[in-house]
Amino acid sequence: MSAAARALCRRLDIALPLIQAPMAGVQGSALAIAVTEAGALGSLPCAMLTPAAIGAELQAIRCATQRPYNVNFFCHAAPAVDAAREARWRETLRPYYLEFGLDPAEVAPAPPRLPFDAATLETIAPFAPPVVSFHFGLPAGTLLARVKAWGATVLASATTLGEALWLERHGADVIIAQGLEAGGHRGMFLDSDISTQVGTFALVRSVVRAVRVPVIAAGGIADSAGIRAALTLGAAGVQVGTTYLLCPETTTSAVHRAALQSPAARHTALTNVFTGRPARAIVNRVMRECGPMSALAPAFPLAVGAIASLRAAAEARASDDFSPLWAGQDTSGCRAIPAAELTQELAADFAAPSA
Ligand SMILES: Cc1cc2nc3c(=O)[nH]c(=O)nc-3n(C[C@H](O)[C@H](O)[C@H](O)COP(=O)(O)O)c2cc1C
């Protein structure tokens, strides 16, 4: 293990320089607990949970493990509803509603995507989670100071060198360099132009040279060789998401699991049609026909509303045409094996030598 990786493990009190990426919508405490108990850092994504659900999940983690874990939040500003844009988007989707016999005006209930705020802070403070990570920037300085006050190490995603420098200046203790290969939402927050986004190798290299805090590589890491490569480039550790998506401890849907194991998984793209923000997913019908990037899609997270009922209707017919099939560019490591086993295989280079 490199000196940087050893220092990160000491700082986070983990045995392996590996973080299981928080993945909202496809996992809860079960995956976090399994990975944490295997010696890496398990993560609980909270962006789609109500405060009550966050409390219950934290309680479950605390009952199951004494080891450190990560809790993850989004930091977006909630947008105002733009009625004209919403109407244009619904008009775009209208033929699909009619195809499924749905009312185009219908608003299906969709899980919230809530930014970290004072109420969230009150919910998690009693648990004093040892690691807290943020996507889409950082919360207000007063909130961040309170998180740090209980001794939490703060991680945050950067997708460009500029974002990494900004995060270091504003108090992130560790930077997650999220390369363009990564599955799910781009953590981008200083710029909305997707041509600014950089691949993992180039990003990690430039960020490691420019910041003093430890850097975690994320995006396209699917096996132990990928982890070795990232550490060779100067990363102190890695964050792996897509590779865990088939583990039994996830809640990945049936259509999503099938897509990940099909040839379709070879073609992913950045799309905003599911939520309003660019995110990497396996290309499916709605991405092909309405995107993958659309100027008409409502701002994050408002775009979720219009597509929710189409998704439900299509999935009821076992179709993935309207589902967000989040995935990174490398799905070769996805296997339906227990997360602890996968973690040990990923981190095989760092396993303690057997007696
Ligand atoms: C299904 C899925 C959901 C994700 N949800 C989140 C999230 O809630 N919070 C977050 O910080 N990152 C999220 N990400 C991004 C990951 O943190 C990470 O950047 C990415 O998984 C790394 O690339 P990889 O998927 O190629 O391993 C998600 C990724 C995936 C695949």
Side-chain angles (χ1 to χ4, degrees):
M1 212 188 290
S2 64
R6 272 199 304 276
L8 181 82
C9 288
R10 265 198 311 276
R11 173 156 199 171
L12 300 182
D13 191 21
I14 51 179
L16 308 169
L18 166 61
I19 301 173
Q20 163 251 314
M23 295 187 286
V26 300
Q27 58 125 155
S29 56
L31 182 67
I33 291 164
V35 172
T36 290
E37 281 289 286
L41 190 72
S43 301
L44 178 71
C46 296
M48 290 169 69
L49 301 180
T50 60
I54 293 172
E57 288 283 60
L58 288 177
Q59 192 62 44
I61 293 176
R62 202 152 72 173
C63 289
T65 183
Q66 300 302 311
R67 296 179 190 240
Y69 58 91
N70 170 39
V71 224
N72 169 260
F73 299 93
F74 286 176
C75 292
H76 58 285
V81 176
D82 177 340
R85 193 163 163 192
E86 184 70 31
R88 278 200 305 276
W89 184 235
R90 289 207 172 249
E91 201 46 43
T92 307
L93 298 180
R94 186 182 170 81
Y96 304 119
Y97 276 82
L98 299 180
E99 184 183 320
F100 284 98
L102 298 169
D103 174 0
E106 185 184 334
V107 181
R113 278 166 178 80
L114 303 171
F116 187 83
D117 60 10
T120 331
L121 183 90
E122 295 313 326
T123 305
I124 67 167
F127 298 92
V131 183
V132 181
S133 74
F134 295 106
H135 214 42
F136 312 142
L138 287 169
T142 46
L143 298 181
L144 190 64
R146 287 196 53 202
V147 170
K148 289 191 160 203
W150 69 66
T153 301
V154 170
L155 280 47
S157 305
T159 66
T160 61
L161 177 57
E163 287 178 349
L165 293 167
W166 188 98
L167 290 171
E168 182 182 46
R169 242 187 357 263
H170 289 81
D173 299 313
V174 176
I175 306 245
I176 302 162
Q178 189 198 31
L180 186 53
E181 297 92 323
H185 284 98
R186 309 287 314 137
M188 54 202 299
F189 60 95
L190 289 184
D191 203 320
S192 57
D193 174 0
I194 58 172
S195 73
T196 60
Q197 300 295 281
V198 185
T200 304
F201 269 29
L203 182 64
V204 167
R205 209 77 188 112
S206 66
V207 175
V208 165
R209 285 193 188 112
V211 301
R212 288 176 308 279
V213 296
V215 177
I216 307 280
I221 297 172
D223 58 14
S224 59
I227 299 179
R228 263 199 311 279
L231 266 52
T232 301
L233 293 176
V238 297
Q239 178 159 295
V240 174
T242 298
T243 303
Y244 281 101
L245 282 173
L246 295 181
C247 290
E249 295 89 346
T250 66
T251 55
T252 309
S253 70
V255 293
H256 196 173
R257 281 175 193 274
L260 285 163
Q261 295 172 88
S262 78
R266 291 180 206 144
H267 186 193
T268 65
L270 294 187
T271 183
N272 65 346
V273 301
F274 297 112
T275 67
R277 257 185 191 266
R280 185 171 295 283
I282 297 170
V283 174
N284 64 357
R285 180 179 170 199
V286 70
M287 286 171 67
R288 260 192 309 273
E289 295 178 4
C290 302
M293 294 295 292
S294 170
L296 300 177
F300 181 89
L302 301 173
V304 175
I307 215 147
S309 44
L310 287 171
R311 175 185 178 175
E315 286 190 7
R317 297 182 190 175
S319 160
D320 67 11
D321 283 352
F322 297 90
S323 304
L325 305 169
W326 307 132
Q329 286 181 330
D330 193 343
T331 54
S332 65
C334 296
R335 276 177 311 138
I337 58 171
E341 208 178 303
L342 188 58
T343 301
Q344 294 301 347
E345 287 187 17
L346 281 167
D349 292 355
F350 313 109
S354 49

